[in-house]
Amino acid sequence: MISLSLSDKVALGTALLGGMAGVVGSFAVLRGRALVGDMLAHAALPGVCLAFLITGNRNLLGLSLGALASGLTAIVAVAIILRWTRTKEDAAIGIVLSTFFGAGVVLLSVVQKPSTGGNKAGLHSYLFGEPGGMLTSDVLLLAGVALVVLAMVVLFYKEFLVVCFDTDFAQSQGWPTIWLDLAMMAALAVVTIVGLPIVGVILMAAMIILPAATARFWTNRLSMMLVVSCGFGAAAGLLGTQLGRGFPAGAAIVLTAAALFVVSLLFAPQRGLIARLLVEYRLRRRIADEHLLRTLFELSESSLPDVPVIPLRDVREYRHWNSLERVLERARDEELIDSGEGQVQLTPLGLHRAAKLTKAHRLWELYLMEHANIAPDHVDRDADDVEHLLPESLLVELEQELAEEGRLPAIAAEVPESPHELSPEN
Amino acid sequence: MIEVIDLFGEPSTGTWIVLTGVTVNAACALVGCFLILRKMSLMGDALSHAVLPGLVIAFVLTGSRSMVPMFVGAVIAGLLTTFMTQSLHQYLRVPSDASMGIVFTAMFAVGVVLVKQFSGGLHFDIGCVYEGALEYVPFGIRVAGMPRQLFTSLMVMLLNLAVILVLWKEFKLSSFDPALATTMGFSATAMHYLLMVLVSVTTVASFEAVGSILVVAMLIVPASTAYMLTDRLGWMVLLSVIFGAAAAVLGFRAATYWDTSISGMMTVVAGCLYALAVLVSPRYGLVSSMLRNVRMSLLVLRDDVLAMLYRVEELGSEKHFSVAETAKGVGGGWLANFAISQLQRAGNIVDASGGLRLTDQGRETARKLVRSHRLWETYLVEQLGMPLDHVHEPAHRVEHFIDEDIQIQLAAELDTADQDPHGRQIPE
């Protein structure tokens, strides 16, 4: 047997716990049961106290079995309340959580009486967590549970996947969804309970939710989410115990996990806050740019093929602008327009692109009127919203369709006529 | 802990403790009703943990444990929690329960670290955060002649009461129909935040006295108990306050009797009261709904027995069924036997030699039933065009509920009101 130093044991144990919590937490978060971990953690207390009263010592396995028993009782109690009463799910969880915990507090005060010879410190770690006291046997227990959880996820990956995302489908396929659901809950319960003495009640609830919610920012695939969540959980355990020396270890672990969450929330590609703001900003900018080109085209249309010089005043009146100056500047930089002294003119490149845009706009309007039965006086507004999101392939399709039906206007090779009267603010 | 109290021998210590428990529980129950109606029960759990950093920071900044800065710190922490929870859910698409779990656990972790950091000059026991120290309430500083904790929880109870009474209509409407509330000109969001402020304040006032776990329980459990008993908001609020108070009194008695944690015992009593309401609530309780089901099953079984005997008679069969055969014919089980004996006692059937026979009275009832059944079958075929082999089941289910009025209406709608679609006579 390799002998580990205490700090190695703590690091290994918390990393194992974090990794497991990440895996079972992913299923809990996806199933909308994030707070079941919280409930289990609270509901374990009476079981711990009873196990202590019965066995008379604080053997981790015995206490954990007690905790597991009362945790599962709590899950059953919530299920009964939901099935048979009008109490809603949130209240059911709250009622069971607080009543069980209250019973735990009552039993704890019994345990702590001198007559029962209670070892107060040992049980209190179930409330507040004490990773510093980790024994080799605790690490082995954690490793064993981790193996079981891993094996379960690998074996039933496909089943869990379907139950998570489409329970009805799983049921219609004749799968035992109730048992699969129970298996997920049981795994959650076991992990919560082995983690309790390490990080404590509240912080165990955090370990279930945080790594999973963090991983959700990075991927849309369950398999990836499990791996990433496991990684984040383990990292939170390792980093938390290393960086948080001198702080309460449970809180340090959770704060590390929370920091990872905040970083992901900000910087994750696609789902992250910055990425989403960027996408939104780019879209808004492109829409403004395209509005400018179409406005200029429509103002120039009557005198084509000559490209007229248009007073900026006309542009301003044509529609509402948020920051026309910046839009003009961008168009100038791309050599789409020439402008100066309150005037603006499309360059040949600008004219080409403006014609293309206007064509897309009008094709879409036509389509909406012909196929979606939208009134002509409403069509421009809808077209305005959507045209910027249309892919090129759809436009080609629309054009072909209208051409086949012989309704593509003669000049459509260039730009079809507007199906409604042109006016400012259209 | 109770021994300590006994040493002092002050007769009113128990009274002070109970009074504190009652006011705390009442204050919690008042706001708890709205929490459970908005399906936000767990916000109580979340806020009671999340205010911890607010409390510690307020304490460190002011260096005092006076209530005003504590309240300010808690309210700020509470609003921050509410705001962050909603933002995570709305803007970053984190599931709502997960976002709440993330925010309050992280806030709590910050609180734990702060407590550790400043515990040098701070008398702040984490154990006390959970279990409270109701036992010590009578020995603290007195304000206005009563223990400080009692005074603050009384103030908060009155505050909650006042706000709820003044904004009764607004609270009511925004709890049941937030969209309508907003269209009527008062923002449901504002009411939401106001409620969160009240919950935060209540949490803090109760914290020190009874501990976070009793706060969480008292916010949800008495209100849920009341919700099992009534559909009217006014009654619900009143009942929840009564249940909260009852939990305080009974919990104290039980804790003294068994010499154990008072706040823990109050929580357990509240849970037991809820369980009791689940069992015996007249309208929504398990027992009453079970009774309703049994009564309905008996009605159906009695009807089935009568109709079966009638049909046998109608076929002109000489054979009569024994009690056992009849019971088996309508599905069997002790309920069927019970239904048969009910019919015998009511004089609808007699157990003559050779088997069960309808009495005249029983035949009359059975005739009406069979008429209902066949009229309905005919109606389904004639008016709804259902195929012949599909009409027996629905008719069998609905026959118990077709009274004379409906019979007349059905007969009027039908072309052939004397024969059912299987070709059998519809009895007059």
Side-chain angles (χ1 to χ4, degrees), chain A residues 32 34-35 38 81 84 86-88 90-91 95 98 101 103 105-106 109 113 128 202 206 213 246-247 265 276, chain B residues 39-41 45 49 91 97 102 105 116-117 126 130 213 224 227 230-231 259-261 264-265 267-268 274 286:
Chain A
L35 292 169
D38 186 30
I81 290 179
W84 296 105
R86 66 194 309 229
T87 306
K88 307 290 184 296
D90 58 325
I95 289 166
S98 54
F101 196 76
V105 169
V106 167
S109 76
K113 277 181 203 161
F128 313 116
I202 295 303
F247 289 109
L265 173 161
R276 288 186 41 194
Chain B
K39 303 192 184 75
M40 297 189 335
S41 312
D45 186 20
H49 289 98
Y91 301 117
D97 58 337
I102 288 166
T105 52
K116 167 83 178 171
Q117 206 57 3
I126 297 261
Y130 275 101
I213 191 57
S224 297
Y227 187 58
T230 177
D231 286 331
D259 184 16
T260 177
S261 157
M265 212 61 211
T267 313
V268 172
Y274 173 75
L286 290 186

Side-chain angles (χ1 to χ4, degrees), chain A residues 267-315:
Chain A
F267 300 109
Q270 287 179 26
R271 291 176 73 98
L273 187 60
I274 291 176
R276 288 186 41 194
L277 287 179
L278 208 61
V279 166
E280 203 173 297
Y281 168 73
R282 284 205 192 111
L283 178 66
R284 219 176 280 159
R285 204 172 70 171
R286 206 186 78 209
I287 289 177
D289 292 352
E290 295 186 357
H291 279 163
L292 176 71
L293 287 179
R294 189 159 59 81
T295 304
L296 292 177
F297 183 86
E298 282 171 358
L299 288 173
S300 313
E301 205 169 8
S302 53
S303 42
L304 288 176
D306 295 325
V307 182
V309 175
I310 300 158
L312 264 184
R313 187 163 28 87
D314 292 359
V315 177

Side-chain angles (χ1 to χ4, degrees), chain A residues 7 11 54 78 84 94 105 164 192-193 195 198 210 221 233 241 268 289 309 316 321 369 387 400:
Chain A
S7 66
I54 293 167
V78 170
W84 296 105
V105 169
C164 272
T192 305
I193 273 139
I198 300 174
L210 271 168
R221 297 189 61 82
T241 43
D289 292 352
V309 175
R316 261 184 232 288
W321 300 97
M369 281 161 63
E387 65 181 68
Q400 264 175 2

Side-chain angles (χ1 to χ4, degrees), chain B residues 145-179:
Chain B
M146 56 181 98
R148 191 171 55 97
Q149 288 94 333
L150 175 57
F151 179 76
T152 41
S153 54
L154 191 64
M155 288 297 116
V156 169
M157 186 188 83
L158 292 177
L159 170 76
N160 288 351
L161 192 64
V163 173
I164 287 171
L165 285 182
V166 169
L167 297 174
W168 177 257
K169 194 181 66 207
E170 285 82 355
F171 266 121
K172 190 175 182 176
L173 192 55
S174 65
S175 297
F176 289 107
D177 195 339

Side-chain angles (χ1 to χ4, degrees), chain A residues 20-45:
Chain A
M20 286 190 281
V23 172
V24 295
S26 297
F27 293 116
V29 167
L30 288 175
R31 291 284 280 140
R33 298 220 179 94
L35 292 169
V36 170
D38 186 30
M39 183 192 76
L40 280 168
H42 281 94
L45 189 61

Side-chain angles (χ1 to χ4, degrees), chain A residues 406-417:
Chain A
R407 289 191 294 105
L408 193 64
I411 50 159
E414 264 311 315
V415 180
E417 248 175 287

